Amino acid sequence: GAVVSQHPSWVICKSGTSVKIECRSLDFQATTMFWYRQFPKQSLMLMATSNEGSKATYEQGVEKDKFLINHASLTLSTLTVTSAHPEDSSFYICSARGTGGRLRYTFGSGTRLTVV
Amino acid sequence: KQEVTQIPAALSVPEGENLVLNCSFTDSAIYNLQWFRQDPGKGLTSLLLIQSSQREQTSGRLNASLDKSSGRSTLYIAASQPGDSATYLCAVPSGTYKYIFGTGTRLKVLA
């Protein structure tokens, strides 16, 4: 149980275009989802926290207009990288926290974004 | 501000060795600590979750301990295998929901 599906696993896009990454909780309802970014050989850095039906909370230094997060249902959150640039190339991972007081967080398999 | 550090940053050992990975955190007011495994280019797999009331957790060849007062946790891997090669991350909660991740230990077990 507790599976989080993240799609796509990798994407290459041209500079200036937008890319959408999906994060789905397959067998549980996720009231809260988290989006992380990971640069090569570095740890995960939290970008934003999204709660179903409300606006995402962004960490300091993360541009909310560039990284649009939507959490429209209890099983789906999306991260859209708008007007992507090469410096946005990174590994993006989502995490979901279930309802009912679950303390264990389930992570998606990640998305490798390369902007050329 | 919570800071999480892991030592060593990288480790290369022959197969069969017993290993200890270290994690230290600056704010001891945590309610749990998790250890994760990350394979190259992949997401995270939760290995062990230790509640603040517990001192250790075991899963197969893995044993994790937690000493809140000293701000430390260790992950012990017994009889290491090449399949254990990965990056190991510890993480502690910050606030209600956020997790702060350590810098990771890149482990390579040689056959």
Side-chain angles (χ1 to χ4, degrees), chain B residues 8-30:
Chain B
L11 186 61
S12 184
V13 299
E15 182 177 7
E17 280 205 4
N18 299 323
L19 311 170
V20 176
L21 308 182
N22 298 292
C23 171
S24 61
F25 44 94
T26 54
D27 185 351
S28 61
I30 60 172

Side-chain angles (χ1 to χ4, degrees), chain A residues 13-95:
Chain A
C13 70
K14 290 185 177 180
S15 186
T17 61
S18 295
V19 174
K20 180 184 285 187
I21 302 170
E22 291 189 350
C23 181
R24 293 180 183 272
S25 56
L26 298 185
D27 51 0
F28 67 101
Q29 293 183 327
T31 52
T32 307
M33 288 190 175
F34 307 86
W35 288 94
Y36 293 84
R37 182 173 182 175
Q38 185 179 35
F39 291 103
K41 295 188 178 181
Q42 295 187 26
S43 192
L44 280 73
M45 297 299 293
L46 181 65
M47 298 174 64
T49 302
S50 72
N51 292 294
E52 184 266 336
S54 62
K55 290 184 178 180
T57 302
Y58 291 81
E59 295 299 300
Q60 191 172 7
V62 177
E63 299 176 60
K64 61 179 66 178
D65 293 331
K66 178 165 199 53
F67 300 100
L68 301 179
I69 292 173
N70 183 278
H71 192 163
S73 76
L74 284 172
T75 60
L76 173 65
S77 176
T78 61
L79 166 67
T80 301
V81 183
T82 63
S83 187
H85 290 285
E87 57 264 31
D88 298 324
S89 298
S90 187
F91 193 58
Y92 294 87
I93 305 177
C94 69
S95 170

Side-chain angles (χ1 to χ4, degrees), chain A residues 9 31-32 34 36 38 41-46 49 51 59 91 93 97 103-112, chain B residues 6 31-32 34 36 38 41-49 51 89-90 96-104 106:
Chain A
S9 56
T31 52
T32 307
F34 307 86
Y36 293 84
Q38 185 179 35
K41 295 188 178 181
Q42 295 187 26
S43 192
L44 280 73
M45 297 299 293
L46 181 65
T49 302
N51 292 294
E59 295 299 300
F91 193 58
I93 305 177
R97 183 183 188 274
L103 296 179
R104 189 181 296 270
Y105 290 74
T106 305
F107 284 79
S109 54
T111 298
R112 170 74 59 193
Chain B
Q6 290 184 245
Y31 54 87
N32 66 52
Q34 282 201 54
F36 295 89
Q38 184 178 30
K42 300 289 180 63
L44 275 66
T45 301
S46 179
L47 297 174
L48 290 164
L49 169 67
Q51 302 292 352
L89 297 163
C90 67
T96 305
Y97 297 128
K98 294 185 341 182
Y99 266 80
I100 305 297
F101 283 82
T103 47
R106 292 188 303 280

